[in-house]
Amino acid sequence: MNPNSQGAVELETFGIDQIRNFSIIAHVDHGKSTLADRLLELSQTISKRKDNKQVLDKLKVERERGITVKAQSASMFYDYNGKRYLLNLIDTPGHMDFNFEVSRSLAACQGTLLLVDAAQGIQAQTVANFYLAYGQDITIIPVINKIDLPAADPERVASQIEVAFEMPASDCLQISAKSNLNVDQILPIIIDNVPPPSGDVSKPFKALLFDSWYDTYVGVICLMAVIDGSVKKGDKIVSAFSERRYEVSETGIMYPEQTPTSSLQAGQVGYFVLNMKTLSESHVGDTFFDHKHIGTPMPGFVPAKPMVWAGIFPIDTADFEKLDHSIAKLTLNDSSVAIQKETSTALGQGWRLGFLGTLHMDVFRQRLEQEYDANIIVTAPTVPYKISYRDGTEKLIRNPTEFPDMDEVNAKVKYVQEPMVKSTIIFPKDYLGDIMVLCGSRRGVQLEHTYLDENRVLLRYRLPLAEVVTDFHDELKGISSGFASFDYEEDGYDDADLVKMNIILNSKPVDALSIILHRTQAEPIARDWVKRLKGLLSRQLFEIVIQAAIGNKIIAREGLSAMRKNVTAKCYGGDVSRKMKLLNKQAKGKKRMKAIGGVEVSQEAFYDFMSKKKS
C-alpha cells in the first residue's frame, strides 16, 4: 500500500488484471466471518492477534448473536507469483431474511466462496445462496470449513455438494478457518480461478451503487463497484435514478476501515462521499456516470419488499418523541424497513413497521433496546393480505384493523388472498415423519422430497407466509432437536378463507389484539387467548366478560368475577330482609358501575400477553 503526500492510498498502479472481487456465502454459523478474519490476517490487512473475532461484524447485535446482519467489505493487497494484487472481499449475511444483502453483494463480484460446515453439511441457506450466485453467472469455489471438528466428515459433505450442485467433489477445498488449516491456499485459488472485472479505464466513468450507510459527520457514504473509467476528488458525477449531480469530496477503500485513496478506477470497489444528506438519495442498484457522459443505466436490483409487519408502541407514552427520533436514526442505515405511523385506542400513538422477516424484526427491536435504551411493545407480526372487491379494485391489508368486517366481506369482497412461500427444509432422515406432520398442520403442500445422502433429506413445501412468521421455525427446531435448517422465498398469493378475530372486553373491542386467521384455526386460538387474558387482567368491582368474536359470532368466552365487599359484615343478627336490602343495593350499584365503567388492558398486561405468546 503506497500512501501519497496527502496520506491517500494510490491505486493507479493496479491494472484490471490485478484486481479480484469476491464474496463469501454460506448458511448461518458456518464460519464466514472467521474465514474473513483469517484472510485479512493472511494479507496483513490486520495484525495477527488473539482478539481478532468477527472483525467485519461491527454491530453489537451481530457479535452477541454470532450472525452477520449487514454485508461488509474489505480490501486486501496480496503478492502472488511476483505480482501485487488488489482483492476486494465482501462478507455477506447467512440468514434468509437478509437475502437482499447477499444479492447486492454478488452483483459487485466476479467470484464467490461457497462455505459449508464439515459437520453440518449442506443446509437450506447454502442451497438458496448457491442459486443466487449461479443466477448471477459468477465463479463459485466450494470450500469445506471446520474439518478439525470431532464430528467432521468432509468426504460426505463433498459428495453432498456433488449431488446437490453438480460440482466435482475433488474441487472442494478443505480448511479450518479457526485453526488456520489450509487457509493460505484460498487466495491463490481465487487469483487463479476468479476472472478479473471486465471494464475499461479509458472509457467515461460508470459505477454501480450496491450499498450505503449514514455517517453523522459526512452524511451518506456510498459503496460502489466502478465499472468503467476512473474518478477522483473534485469530479462531478450524476445519478441515473434521480438525475441529481454530486461532487466527489472523497474516495477510498475499506482497509478494513475507511481509508482514503487518490482515485478509484475500473474494476475497483470503494466508498464515495458525495455530500448526500439523506439515505433516500442513495438508491441501491443505481448507476452513476460522469456528468458529461451519461449512458445506459445498468439493470438494478428488485427492491426489498417488507414481508412481515408489526406495531411498535412505547411502554410509557411520554417516550413517544424520543422513540420517534430513535427509529428515524436507526432506519437511516436500514432502508429496507418501511414505516407508517398509527394510533391504537389501547396502546396510544405508535408505528407500523415492515420488515424482511421475523429475524430482521427481532434484530431491529434488539438494536432499539440496546443502542437507544428504548422500552417498547411489539405487537403480533402480520403479513400483507390482498383483498379483491367485486367492483374490480384491490386493497393491500397490513394491519388487522383495516380488514373488512364479515358483512362487507359477504356483500362486496370477491376473494381474499394470502402470501405464499416456497420453503426448503434439510434435516436428518430420522425426523422425516414429524416434520411432514408439522408442515401438513401448517397447511403446507409438498413439492419435492430428495435424499442428499444416506442420512440427510431435502424437503420443499409451499406454505402460507402467515404460518411461517409465527412460531414455525421454533417448532421445527424443537421437533428436529435443532438439526433442521429452513429457508424460504416468496411465491405469490393464493386464495384463502381468512377471517378477522376481535377480542372484546365488556362489549368493547380491543383493536391492538385483532388478528387475521384462517377460519380453521380461529376457535383453538380464541380459546387460548381469552384464557390467558383472564389470568393477566386485574379484577374490578364489576364482572369483566372476555370474548373472542368473528363478526357477530362469539367463538370463545371467559368471565372475570367481580371483587365483592362484604356489606353485611356490620349486621349482627336481626331480620334477614335487612341483609337482603343491602345485598340488592350492592347488586344495583355493580350493575350501574358495569354500564359506565370501562375496562382497559394496561401496557404491562399487554406486554406480558405478547411476551408469553412469543415464548
Side-chain angles (χ1 to χ4, degrees):
M1 190 171 81
N2 305 308
N4 63 16
S5 57
Q6 284 80 37
V9 180
E10 295 183 347
L11 301 179
E12 288 85 351
T13 55
F14 290 91
I16 281 193
D17 62 330
Q18 292 168 266
I19 300 171
R20 301 290 185 273
N21 300 321
F22 71 100
S23 63
I24 306 175
I25 55 175
H27 189 77
V28 178
D29 202 31
H30 278 206
K32 293 183 301 300
S33 298
T34 307
L35 177 58
D37 293 344
R38 297 293 85 78
L39 294 178
L40 291 173
E41 289 174 358
L42 189 66
S43 60
Q44 298 179 357
T45 308
I46 58 175
S47 59
K48 292 186 179 181
R49 302 194 312 256
K50 289 184 179 178
D51 58 346
N52 280 340
K53 289 183 180 177
Q54 298 169 272
V55 171
L56 295 183
D57 288 346
K58 294 170 183 174
L59 298 176
K60 185 179 177 184
V61 66
E62 291 181 316
R63 291 176 176 273
E64 281 186 358
R65 289 173 175 253
I67 60 172
T68 302
V69 169
K70 191 98 176 72
Q72 301 288 350
S73 69
S75 297
M76 301 177 283
F77 298 94
Y78 187 71
D79 294 317
Y80 178 62
N81 286 347
K83 274 189 177 181
R84 193 160 177 78
Y85 289 87
L86 172 61
L87 308 176
N88 295 306
L89 156 69
I90 301 173
D91 183 23
T92 60
H95 194 275
M96 56 201 165
D97 284 6
F98 305 105
N99 260 3
F100 183 59
E101 294 274 336
V102 178
S103 63
R104 291 190 325 199
S105 304
L106 292 174
C109 299
Q110 287 75 48
T112 187
L113 300 177
L114 181 68
L115 203 62
V116 185
D117 189 309
Q120 296 181 27
I122 288 178
Q123 302 289 302
Q125 195 63 28
T126 315
V127 177
N129 284 339
F130 170 81
Y131 284 110
L132 276 176
Y134 187 76
Q136 303 232 16
D137 197 25
I138 63 177
T139 303
I140 301 170
I141 300 170
V143 179
I144 300 173
N145 191 22
K146 305 185 184 181
I147 61 169
D148 55 345
L149 288 178
D153 190 349
E155 283 70 31
R156 177 179 60 85
V157 174
S159 67
Q160 284 181 9
I161 291 171
E162 190 164 20
V163 169
F165 306 137
E166 298 179 358
M167 301 172 79
S170 56
D171 289 355
C172 296
L173 179 61
Q174 299 184 16
I175 67 160
S176 170
K178 194 166 187 179
S179 60
N180 222 2
L181 181 64
N182 295 338
V183 174
D184 56 346
Q185 298 177 27
I186 292 178
L187 294 181
I189 287 175
I190 288 170
I191 292 169
D192 290 338
N193 292 281
V194 174
S198 56
D200 190 343
V201 181
S202 61
K203 286 184 178 179
F205 171 75
K206 179 181 179 181
L208 172 72
L209 169 66
F210 67 94
D211 199 6
S212 60
W213 62 91
Y214 187 81
D215 184 276
T216 312
Y217 301 102
V218 298
V220 178
I221 297 175
C222 301
L223 200 61
M224 298 196 214
V226 182
I227 309 301
D228 289 317
S230 63
V231 66
K232 62 183 183 300
K233 182 179 178 179
D235 287 357
K236 291 181 174 62
I237 61 175
V238 65
S239 158
F241 178 76
S242 66
E243 299 182 352
R244 289 187 184 179
R245 186 180 295 188
Y246 299 96
E247 183 176 331
V248 179
S249 56
E250 186 182 314
T251 61
I253 56 174
M254 305 301 289
Y255 188 69
E257 303 301 326
Q258 287 171 216
T259 305
T261 60
S262 55
S263 67
L264 286 173
Q265 300 185 58
Q268 295 171 1
V269 174
Y271 71 86
F272 289 63
V273 178
L274 304 174
N275 297 317
M276 287 185 183
K277 302 302 180 193
T278 61
L279 210 63
S280 58
E281 290 183 62
S282 62
H283 184 78
V284 170
D286 194 2
T287 309
F288 281 78
F289 297 100
D290 178 79
H291 73 291
K292 292 180 181 175
H293 303 89
I294 299 173
T296 307
M298 298 185 64
F301 306 110
V302 178
K305 280 197 298 186
M307 297 300 290
V308 175
W309 293 78
I312 287 186
F313 298 87
I315 288 179
D316 184 353
T317 51
D319 292 338
F320 178 81
E321 291 294 334
K322 179 188 169 188
L323 187 56
D324 190 22
H325 185 62
S326 302
I327 289 175
K329 285 178 73 175
L330 195 51
T331 50
L332 278 175
N333 280 329
D334 195 349
S335 57
S336 56
V337 178
I339 308 176
Q340 299 171 355
K341 285 194 176 178
E342 73 169 11
T343 304
S344 161
T345 53
L347 299 171
Q349 283 187 302
W351 300 262
R352 181 147 289 265
L353 302 184
F355 301 97
L356 301 176
T358 47
L359 178 70
H360 186 205
M361 180 180 81
D362 205 32
V363 165
F364 190 89
R365 175 198 58 76
Q366 190 173 339
R367 289 187 68 189
L368 266 181
E369 291 174 347
Q370 285 181 347
E371 296 174 28
Y372 299 98
D373 199 25
N375 294 312
I376 56 173
I377 293 170
V378 182
T379 62
T382 60
V383 298
Y385 297 97
K386 270 186 189 172
I387 295 183
S388 293
Y389 289 91
R390 297 185 197 278
D391 61 4
T393 58
E394 278 194 353
K395 187 178 179 183
L396 203 62
I397 302 292
R398 300 185 180 93
N399 190 336
T401 55
E402 300 171 0
F403 198 84
D405 57 32
M406 290 303 293
D407 294 337
E408 186 180 347
V409 169
N410 295 331
K412 298 180 181 180
V413 174
K414 188 177 179 183
Y415 53 80
V416 182
Q417 292 184 312
E418 65 178 342
M420 304 295 290
V421 293
K422 276 184 183 171
S423 63
T424 303
I425 310 169
I426 298 177
F427 53 91
K429 65 179 181 182
D430 299 347
Y431 304 103
L432 178 61
D434 290 340
I435 289 175
M436 289 179 75
V437 168
L438 173 65
C439 293
S441 69
R442 297 304 182 96
R443 300 185 283 133
V445 176
Q446 187 176 316
L447 303 175
E448 187 183 335
H449 178 184
T450 309
Y451 277 83
L452 294 173
D453 57 27
E454 63 274 10
N455 290 317
R456 295 184 68 76
V457 182
L458 183 149
L459 278 183
R460 291 191 197 273
Y461 264 85
R462 195 162 187 265
L463 290 157
L465 179 60
E467 300 287 352
V468 172
V469 301
T470 48
D471 56 355
F472 179 83
H473 195 254
D474 293 339
E475 282 200 38
L476 180 67
K477 287 289 183 185
I479 63 176
S480 67
S481 305
F483 288 112
S485 64
F486 176 69
D487 175 65
Y488 64 84
E489 60 187 58
E490 57 182 290
D491 191 37
Y493 280 76
D494 269 9
D495 294 357
D497 185 11
L498 301 171
V499 292
K500 179 172 80 170
M501 184 182 84
N502 288 313
I503 297 295
I504 301 170
L505 298 180
N506 280 3
S507 305
K508 292 182 181 177
V510 182
D511 61 344
L513 291 177
S514 299
I515 187 171
I516 300 169
L517 298 164
H518 195 268
R519 194 181 294 274
T520 56
Q521 300 170 319
E523 285 197 24
I525 289 176
R527 283 194 292 269
D528 177 52
W529 279 33
V530 296
K531 190 174 180 181
R532 284 195 290 113
L533 265 177
K534 180 183 177 182
L536 291 171
L537 292 177
S538 303
R539 289 176 68 195
Q540 305 290 330
L541 291 171
F542 51 87
E543 184 189 15
I544 300 174
V545 178
I546 308 164
Q547 296 169 311
I550 296 173
N552 296 322
K553 183 183 177 185
I554 306 298
I555 56 173
R557 183 190 188 280
E558 287 283 348
L560 194 60
S561 58
M563 289 192 291
R564 180 174 174 272
K565 181 183 177 183
N566 187 3
V567 291
T568 60
K570 59 185 176 182
C571 298
Y572 298 98
D575 190 43
V576 71
S577 60
R578 189 179 170 206
K579 290 184 179 180
M580 293 307 297
K581 184 179 177 182
L582 289 169
L583 290 171
N584 287 334
K585 185 179 177 182
Q586 183 188 42
K588 285 178 183 176
K590 286 188 180 293
K591 190 176 180 181
R592 189 166 59 251
M593 194 184 296
K594 185 176 180 179
I596 62 172
V599 184
E600 288 190 358
V601 183
S602 68
Q603 303 276 39
E604 291 76 17
F606 192 88
Y607 183 81
D608 289 343
F609 182 78
M610 299 309 298
S611 300
K612 284 183 182 176
K613 210 169 79 170
K614 288 174 190 168
S615 59

